Amino acid sequence: MHVIIAEDIGLYRDLLVRALLDYDDIEVVGQAGTTAELVELVGDSPPDVVILDIAMPPAPGLPPEGDAGLSAARDLRLRHPDLPILALSQYPNVSWAQQMASLEGPVGYQLKDRVKDMDSLVAAIREVADGNTSIDQTLVQALLARKRHNDPVDRLTPTELRVLELMAEGRTNVAIADELAYAEGTVEGIATAIYRKLQLSELPKDREGKPTVNGRVMAVLAFLRSGKPGTGS
């Protein structure tokens, strides 16, 4: 698995590169200290995964901002829609996690202290490389704590809530159908109803008519943020 790492703090970047040497299936093929270097490194031949610091400084000449890495992630997503991107941050910033998760394609948001537990971080890298979304459990708990008034999740029926709960566990429609003994088409219909009730049925689209955000991920985030308890089987 070829990986490019973008991190403006050289000491941390070196620490991460050295730590990944212990994993035979991961090879760091590029390092960047700025977002401009990252975009240039990725070019037209993207790696298997990009790992970037979400709070990198902006390119020279641009106004200062605290999340230039997030802007770089959006830029890379436009250039390479299927590129797996794992954002790292020292801050448990729920808003940044939500914005990363809303990008179409495989993404992740993990806290930098995961480097103390490299197996956990590498698991997140592999999860994103496999095309999935990986959000740090600290952020998941923060989302669960942000109970909202007039939450659209309250509009869901028990069946819709159960399907959404299984989505949050990472189940595919086929796996959900097997779990609930439904036809796959029935699950797809329930998912459509969920998106409509959560006001996700009219997601913004690009010039080719494809959604620019991942509706399934946004629905799962809405479920987590609602603080709903698991309904169980």
Side-chain angles (χ1 to χ4, degrees), residues 97-98 101-102 135 143 216-226:
Q98 289 176 310
S102 69
I135 303 297
L143 286 166
R216 193 180 188 91
V217 170
M218 294 301 288
V220 167
L221 285 173
F223 171 73
L224 293 174
R225 192 169 56 240
S226 73

Side-chain angles (χ1 to χ4, degrees), residues 2-6 13 17 27-32 38 41 47 49 51:
H2 293 164
V3 171
I4 288 177
I5 297 175
R13 186 173 65 246
V17 170
E27 180 183 0
V28 178
V29 296
Q31 302 178 45
L38 170 62
L41 267 178
V49 181
I51 303 172

Side-chain angles (χ1 to χ4, degrees), residues 159-232:
T159 297
E160 292 165 347
L161 192 60
R162 177 59 177 149
V163 169
L164 184 52
E165 180 188 357
L166 292 171
M167 287 182 182
E169 294 177 5
R171 309 281 190 98
T172 64
N173 284 353
V174 172
I176 293 172
D178 289 342
E179 174 73 17
L180 302 180
Y182 290 165
E184 184 179 354
T186 299
V187 174
E188 291 174 354
I190 294 172
T192 298
I194 292 170
Y195 298 155
R196 184 179 65 253
K197 290 184 179 180
L198 297 183
Q199 300 176 335
L200 299 173
S201 56
E202 293 298 330
L203 295 170
K205 297 180 174 58
D206 60 19
R207 295 179 180 178
E208 297 180 354
K210 298 179 181 179
T212 57
V213 295
N214 189 318
R216 193 180 188 91
V217 170
M218 294 301 288
V220 167
L221 285 173
F223 171 73
L224 293 174
R225 192 169 56 240
S226 73
K228 290 288 186 184
T231 59

Side-chain angles (χ1 to χ4, degrees), residues 4-52:
I4 288 177
I5 297 175
E7 165 63 58
D8 61 299
I9 300 176
L11 181 62
Y12 182 86
R13 186 173 65 246
D14 292 343
L15 174 64
L16 185 55
V17 170
R18 288 198 300 270
L20 288 175
L21 290 175
D22 292 336
Y23 297 86
D24 294 337
D25 63 330
I26 298 177
E27 180 183 0
V28 178
V29 296
Q31 302 178 45
T34 68
T35 54
E37 290 175 2
L38 170 62
V39 173
E40 183 177 356
L41 267 178
V42 172
D44 295 327
S45 301
D48 297 307
V49 181
V50 164
I51 303 172
L52 60 82

